[in-house]
Amino acid sequence: MRPASAPVPPPETEIDPPGVPGLSGLMTLAVGVVVLAALYVGREVFLPVFLAILLAFVLAPFVELLRRWHLGRGPSVIIAVLVALGIILSIGGVIGFQLAGLATDLPRYQSTIREKVGSLREGAMGRLPGLLKDFGRHIDQAVAEPPEKTSPAPATSTPPPEEPKPLPVEVHEPDPTPAQVARNVLLPIVGPLATMGIVFVVLIFILMQREDLRDRMIRLFGSSDLHRTTAAMDDAARRLSRYFLTQLALNACFGLVAGIGLWLIGVPSPALWGVFAALMRFVPYIGSFLAAVPPILLAAAVDPGWSMALMALALFVIGEPLMGHVVEPVVYGQSTGLSPFSVVLSAIFWTWLWGPVGLVIATPLTLCLVVLGRHVERLEFLDVLLGDRPALTPAENLYQRMLAGDPDEALESAELLLKERSLTSYYDEVALKGLQLAANDATRGVMTQRQLEQVKDVVTSLVQDLSGHDDVEPKPHETKDEPVAARVSEQPDNKQPAAEAPMPEESGIPETWRAEGAIMCVAGRGPLDEAAAEMLAQLLGKHGLGTRVVSHEAVSRREIFGLDMTGVQMICISYLEISGTPAHLRYLLRRLKQRVPDAPTLVGLWPVDDPVLKSEAMRATLGATYHVSSLREAVVQCLRVATGEEKLSQAEVNPAPGQATAAKRLPLPA
């Protein structure tokens, strides 16, 4: 029996055994199964709705154009829907007449088909089966053993009498009544007409209430920032509308060129095959070649020779690569936002789910899902599974390359990113964040000493390799025509070079600040702080300031008095992370000020959410002149002090303990 004073043990937490999925995983699986079942069972309802959504993206720019002409939302929507309905009915009428004419002319092509089949049988292809049979028989004779005795031929027997043949019986059905004829003609078209009616009814409501539907969807899936999410969704809708309209126009042009080419070649019903080619181009990769099969076969049936079929084949073989690899990238950008694997997978999935119509709309529908995943947090898994963006962020990818000890791939990735941003932006947004991931793992003790040395080597090599890059802003890369934009939160915070606007002429920097070691970049006591100090020193040097990197051991209590600090004008200290109360940083600043009392000090705490940056009292106890959280801020501040734009009093250079410093976070230049 337990004594009354004994503490009651806490209840044991139930832990799922290995291999048993948790409740969240089971719920996700159940929701996925329910969604798939609903899409399959309710395809008669969902398919028209999705068609209406895609058509709304195509008609949205036209509606906006009509509204700019002061027609109002209602009239604009009605006119746009009537125009779309007229175009669809016109195309359907053309297809119907072309099919009727083709069905009437098909019997005339039977004689040509028989002659070609007969010539093939009489030619080399016809003799090929006999040659193969003779070859096989010779092989069998060579392998088989010769018989020992030749058996005599059997005596000829009298054939049995033939049985009488049955009399043929013909069954004639009565002529169909007018009601049966009407039923046979109308029933096949009732389904498509009903689907078209549902599509256009839903389309009208979507175009009339676009903003309201957008807001309801954002509210349904939730968002921590409604303003930015709304702006991002509006931008995504504009991009999708522009992309779908452009794709429709390009496919229509391809179909027009194919139809005109087939008409010039002499293939019957060229308008039918042009419309078919335009529709099949929505099918990824193989759509155009599937569209080429019927007209090529028809050309072979019409022409007694093979020239018409070969010319039709050449039309598609030349036209599709020209459109796909030359025209399309120029018109709407290099990226569609979808990975090639997801395009193929989505085509298979939507074809299995909704049949041939699903195959045609697979790519546009999947692109809409990727856009939702990029801008709605709860649907981010769609972007990860189907999008063309890397699964890892640039910082995570750099950290992975660090762990693998691969400086070449790290440099290759850096050079790609530097095409879109300055060197300062790359160091702030990618390199420092990758170093922070490594520093956190080192602090937690999950990184071995060998891995830590590999990280140091890769970072050192990367900084040395990037020494030839200037800190300038590259030419902007225009992506307005690409259908999927990056999240607003993922766009670079700063793509300008450090101190582009405020940096004075080089003549404004005194020679004492240009001398080597004028700014002493001191590494913190973390294992990777020296790498951050090297980045800062490199950026300062690119803007005309002399620098020197000093390790943390060189400024320790034992070594600092032997450190040569001649000509030091300013001291910058780099920390990737400070755990607990930063007493060691306070003592380090005190030792440095004892050696160089007139030099201002700058502390770079690169984690933006560091408690020191948030607490005014903690910053005051340190005694530093400046506190910054990015390399750009550090470069700007050093330039202002060096050029005399910011005059400091002795009290600001050496603040008393507990006294707030003059500048904590500088306003960034516009």
Side-chain angles (χ1 to χ4, degrees):
M1 182 175 179
R2 187 176 64 245
S5 60
V8 180
E12 296 183 357
T13 304
E14 294 184 1
I15 301 176
D16 294 335
V20 179
L23 181 60
S24 176
L26 292 177
M27 287 297 296
T28 303
L29 180 61
V31 170
V33 172
V34 171
V35 169
L36 288 179
L39 290 175
Y40 182 78
V41 175
R43 58 185 178 274
E44 300 296 334
V45 176
F46 288 112
L47 184 56
V49 173
F50 282 111
L51 287 174
I53 293 174
L54 296 178
L55 195 56
F57 280 116
V58 175
L59 294 180
F62 185 44
V63 173
E64 293 298 326
L65 178 63
L66 294 177
R67 292 188 64 185
R68 293 195 198 101
W69 294 348
H70 307 289
L71 292 180
R73 180 183 293 272
S76 301
V77 170
I78 297 300
I79 292 174
V81 171
L82 289 178
V83 170
L85 182 60
I87 294 175
I88 292 176
L89 291 178
S90 301
I91 294 176
V94 170
I95 292 176
F97 283 114
Q98 293 278 303
L99 283 175
L102 184 62
T104 304
D105 295 337
L106 277 179
R108 294 190 302 151
Y109 307 143
Q110 292 180 356
S111 59
T112 306
I113 296 175
R114 292 194 191 98
E115 292 177 1
K116 287 196 172 183
V117 172
S119 63
L120 289 176
R121 288 179 178 176
E122 294 175 359
M125 294 186 64
R127 294 193 300 269
L128 183 60
L131 294 175
L132 293 177
K133 187 182 296 183
D134 292 340
F135 182 70
R137 186 168 59 250
H138 287 311
I139 292 178
D140 293 339
Q141 291 177 356
V143 173
E145 295 180 359
E148 296 180 357
K149 296 182 180 180
T150 303
S151 58
T156 305
S157 60
T158 304
E162 296 182 359
E163 297 182 358
K165 297 181 179 179
L167 296 176
V169 178
E170 296 182 359
V171 179
H172 295 276
E173 295 183 358
D175 294 335
T177 62
Q180 291 176 340
V181 173
R183 184 184 61 186
N184 294 335
V185 173
L186 294 178
L187 281 181
I189 64 174
V190 167
L193 289 178
T195 301
M196 183 182 297
I198 297 174
V199 168
F200 278 93
V201 169
V202 177
L203 174 63
I204 292 175
F205 281 96
I206 291 176
L207 292 176
M208 293 289 290
Q209 298 181 334
R210 277 194 308 158
E211 291 79 7
D212 181 66
L213 293 175
R214 176 207 63 198
D215 296 340
R216 291 179 183 275
M217 185 184 66
I218 293 175
R219 186 68 178 177
L220 177 64
F221 292 105
S223 175
S224 57
D225 192 341
L226 290 178
H227 174 72
R228 292 208 311 175
T229 304
T230 301
M233 292 299 291
D234 286 340
D235 178 66
R238 285 192 296 269
R239 288 172 179 267
L240 284 176
S241 296
R242 184 166 50 242
Y243 173 75
F244 289 153
L245 189 60
T246 304
Q247 188 181 38
L248 181 62
L250 289 177
N251 292 351
C253 291
F254 180 81
L256 180 63
V257 172
I260 294 175
L262 293 175
W263 174 70
L264 293 175
I265 293 172
V267 179
S269 304
L272 171 64
W273 307 124
V275 173
F276 184 60
L279 292 177
M280 290 303 292
R281 277 210 89 247
F282 287 99
V283 179
Y285 301 122
I286 61 173
S288 299
F289 300 104
L290 292 178
V293 174
I296 292 174
L297 294 179
L298 184 60
V302 173
D303 185 16
W306 296 98
S307 60
M308 185 181 293
L310 292 176
M311 286 189 291
L313 176 62
L315 175 65
F316 285 91
V317 169
I318 296 174
E320 169 55 26
L322 186 65
M323 178 66 73
H325 299 287
V326 178
V327 178
E328 286 183 351
V330 172
V331 173
Y332 55 69
Q334 300 292 333
S335 173
T336 60
L338 298 176
S339 66
F341 176 74
S342 69
V343 171
V344 176
L345 187 63
S346 64
I348 297 173
F349 173 77
W350 293 112
T351 305
W352 165 75
L353 200 63
W354 289 343
V357 179
L359 177 63
V360 175
I361 67 174
T363 300
L365 195 56
T366 307
L367 187 58
C368 292
L369 295 178
V370 170
V371 171
L372 284 177
R374 188 158 296 188
H375 297 291
V376 179
E377 294 178 2
R378 294 186 182 180
L379 301 178
E380 188 178 2
F381 69 94
L382 294 174
D383 182 31
V384 176
L385 292 177
L386 305 174
D388 61 351
R389 296 190 305 171
L392 300 177
T393 64
E396 292 171 343
N397 183 64
L398 176 60
Y399 179 38
Q400 187 186 51
R401 294 301 90 207
M402 291 177 185
L403 292 176
D406 192 346
D408 294 331
E409 284 198 19
L411 178 61
E412 181 181 6
S413 176
E415 290 177 342
L416 290 176
L417 293 173
L418 285 171
K419 294 179 180 179
E420 301 177 353
R421 65 196 71 201
S422 62
L423 184 61
T424 303
S425 296
Y426 172 75
Y427 280 157
D428 273 331
E429 298 159 14
V430 180
L432 281 184
K433 292 181 179 179
L435 281 177
Q436 287 170 11
L437 294 174
N440 293 338
D441 285 349
T443 303
R444 293 188 298 117
V446 298
M447 185 184 297
T448 64
Q449 185 62 32
R450 177 176 175 273
Q451 290 175 326
L452 187 60
E453 293 299 328
Q454 285 182 341
V455 169
K456 291 180 181 179
D457 293 340
V458 171
V459 174
T460 302
S461 301
L462 180 63
V463 174
Q464 292 175 353
D465 292 334
L466 295 179
S467 60
H469 286 263
D470 294 329
D471 188 23
V472 295
E473 176 68 11
K475 293 181 179 180
H477 174 59
E478 185 62 52
T479 61
K480 66 178 183 179
D481 292 328
E482 294 182 0
V484 182
R487 290 175 179 263
V488 177
S489 59
E490 294 178 357
Q491 295 176 358
D493 298 329
N494 163 46
K495 294 185 67 175
Q496 289 81 23
E500 178 188 25
M503 188 178 76
E505 298 294 333
E506 290 190 5
S507 57
I509 302 178
E511 291 298 327
T512 55
W513 287 80
R514 295 176 180 272
E516 183 179 356
I519 299 181
M520 189 170 67
C521 299
V522 180
R525 67 175 185 177
L528 300 175
D529 289 339
E530 188 170 350
E534 290 177 354
M535 295 179 190
L536 177 58
Q538 185 183 88
L539 293 175
L540 292 173
K542 291 183 180 298
H543 291 279
L545 297 172
T547 60
R548 180 174 55 144
V549 178
V550 176
S551 64
H552 187 74
E553 290 76 10
V555 293
S556 62
R557 289 181 175 86
R558 178 180 301 177
E559 303 292 338
I560 190 171
F561 294 102
L563 182 63
D564 182 14
M565 304 186 72
T566 305
V568 174
Q569 305 295 323
M570 189 171 181
I571 300 174
C572 298
I573 306 175
S574 297
Y575 272 90
L576 285 170
E577 62 90 22
I578 297 181
S579 56
T581 305
H584 59 277
L585 176 57
R586 182 169 65 250
Y587 297 139
L588 173 60
L589 287 167
R590 186 181 302 174
R591 293 195 300 270
L592 291 171
K593 289 179 180 179
Q594 289 176 356
R595 292 295 314 275
V596 191
D598 296 331
T601 54
L602 180 144
V603 175
L605 301 176
W606 311 129
V608 180
D609 56 349
D610 195 280
V612 176
L613 295 173
K614 297 180 180 179
S615 173
E616 182 72 23
M618 293 182 67
R619 290 199 303 267
T621 58
L622 293 179
T625 314
Y626 305 104
H627 302 87
V628 296
S629 62
S630 70
L631 292 173
R632 179 172 185 261
E633 293 178 358
V635 174
V636 170
Q637 189 61 70
C638 291
L639 286 171
R640 288 179 176 177
V641 176
T643 56
E645 289 186 6
E646 187 164 323
K647 301 294 184 180
L648 297 177
S649 64
Q650 188 63 28
E652 291 173 327
V653 175
N654 296 305
Q659 177 185 353
T661 54
K664 302 301 182 297
R665 296 289 301 276
L666 294 174
L668 297 182

